[in-house]
Amino acid sequence: VGFDLMTLANNHALDFGESSLHEGMSLLAAESIATIGAGRNSTAARAPHVATISGVTVGFLNYVNVPVEWQGFDTEVWTATEDRSGLAWGTVEGISADVATLAPTVDHIIVILHSGYEYQETPSPIQYALSHAAVDAGATLVVGHHAHVLQGVETTESGTIVYGLGNFESI
């Protein structure tokens, strides 16, 4: 299909455990599809993917920060640590630091953020804070998803924020 990059930081990435996550990452790597947002430790989970596209160097970062689900599951327990596989959990401080570190080495940064409340058309306060942290630190674009509905687009002096892409379903 032409995919070069797969984002993995989401509330279903570890539904079938760490071994399934590792197998999926290995299968994608075997097809030359890079992954971001998950890894065998926190450094790997937070690592950017950098690509040169038509002479422009673009850095990609991926994070998840979703509320506790209605069944009581808290995705934050899947956060990667120094010695445990998992996901890149999005915090204002972490995203700001990662974007600021990457910024001098690329022309543009795209942050893909899995966040917000499902079926809510208005971005949540954490979506707003994380997205603004990214553009304030140097991201050109933040692309959000998780809510299953379209959410707003905001253009700031620093960058553009697409809060929620919806489901891309046809009607």
Side-chain angles (χ1 to χ4, degrees):
V1 191
F3 289 109
D4 298 316
L5 177 64
M6 185 71 59
T7 62
L8 300 178
N10 67 74
N11 60 311
H12 293 290
L14 284 154
D15 280 352
F16 296 97
E18 286 183 34
S19 61
S20 181
L21 175 67
H22 297 164
E23 181 181 7
M25 291 172 66
S26 294
L27 291 168
L28 290 164
E31 296 299 321
S32 299
I33 300 173
T35 59
I36 55 174
R40 292 190 176 272
N41 56 48
S42 56
T43 300
R46 297 173 71 90
H49 173 71
V50 176
T52 301
I53 305 163
S54 300
V56 177
T57 305
V58 182
F60 297 87
L61 294 162
N62 178 218
Y63 306 92
V64 59
N65 184 319
V66 295
V68 174
E69 297 183 44
W70 64 271
Q71 305 96 330
F73 178 72
D74 187 355
T75 304
E76 190 173 4
V77 301
W78 287 346
T79 301
T81 65
E82 287 183 27
D83 57 358
R84 187 184 77 218
S85 297
L87 308 177
W89 184 258
T91 65
V92 167
E93 299 79 15
I95 291 173
S96 295
D98 292 348
V99 170
T101 298
L102 181 58
T105 67
V106 298
D107 298 314
H108 295 282
I109 297 174
I110 299 174
V111 173
I112 298 104
L113 180 61
H114 195 84
S115 187
Y117 290 99
E118 292 183 348
Y119 306 105
Q120 299 300 309
E121 294 177 0
T122 303
S124 70
I126 193 66
Q127 278 176 280
Y128 184 87
L130 297 174
S131 298
H132 278 267
V135 296
D136 291 348
T140 306
L141 175 65
V142 175
V143 178
H145 54 91
H146 175 70
H148 299 286
V149 295
L150 293 172
Q151 293 180 321
V153 175
E154 180 180 358
T155 302
T156 72
E157 289 183 25
S158 306
T160 300
I161 301 166
V162 180
Y163 286 102
L165 294 177
N167 284 347
F168 286 117
E169 294 177 351
S170 61
I171 297 175

